[in-house]
Amino acid sequence: MIHQIDTTDNIVAFRALAAVTKEVVVPAVEKLINNTNEINFLMVLDTDIQNFTAGAWLEDAMLGIKNLGKWNRAAIVSDSEEIIAFTNGFSYIVPGEFRGFKKEAFNKALNWVEGNIN
């Protein structure tokens, strides 16, 4: 399940819990694009990556490809070193900035995605 986190109007943020299926991410991201013409995205993973269904992975992949030029900043918050390293590497292969953060740095991740810090 994914819950949207209330934030400022220039980002969308979510917390993934337990099993993750196709959810509310796409409509929220599309609304953000319509309002700002870019994607500033934050996802807190409070579940194992194995709990994402194939449908959720496919939906995320299609969202990313469809809006490839719209990505500005994306943060993934997790205590998994592998997920953080994977996220950090994304900036080298797709447009936009991608960073992984530890859960203890949630506020820093949120401020970074909002554009308040570099």
Side-chain angles (χ1 to χ4, degrees):
M1 173 174 276
I2 294 180
H3 297 282
Q4 191 163 358
I5 300 169
D6 289 331
T7 60
T8 60
D9 291 340
N10 70 324
I11 75 167
V12 289
F14 303 93
R15 180 176 308 277
L17 303 163
V20 176
T21 58
K22 295 183 352 180
E23 293 282 341
V24 299
V25 173
V26 171
V29 170
E30 288 176 347
K31 181 179 177 185
L32 180 68
I33 292 168
N34 288 336
N35 292 337
T36 66
N37 202 36
E38 67 182 8
I39 303 170
N40 293 304
F41 181 90
L42 181 133
M43 174 69 76
V44 178
L45 296 177
D46 279 335
T47 188
D48 290 330
I49 204 75
Q50 296 88 345
N51 288 331
F52 281 72
T53 65
W57 282 113
L58 182 60
E59 183 177 70
D60 288 348
M62 293 306 295
L63 175 69
I65 292 167
K66 177 182 172 188
N67 298 293
L68 196 59
K70 303 288 185 185
W71 289 94
N72 183 43
R73 285 188 169 182
I76 305 297
V77 179
S78 172
D79 282 336
S80 165
E81 293 294 337
E82 293 83 9
I83 291 172
I84 290 171
F86 180 79
T87 302
N88 291 339
F90 238 66
S91 287
Y92 297 107
I93 57 174
V94 296
E97 295 179 78
F98 292 79
R99 286 193 191 167
F101 294 85
K102 290 279 197 176
K103 288 181 185 176
E104 65 193 25
F106 171 80
N107 288 334
K108 183 177 181 180
L110 183 60
N111 281 307
W112 179 78
V113 172
E114 288 174 340
N116 297 327
I117 61 173
N118 286 322

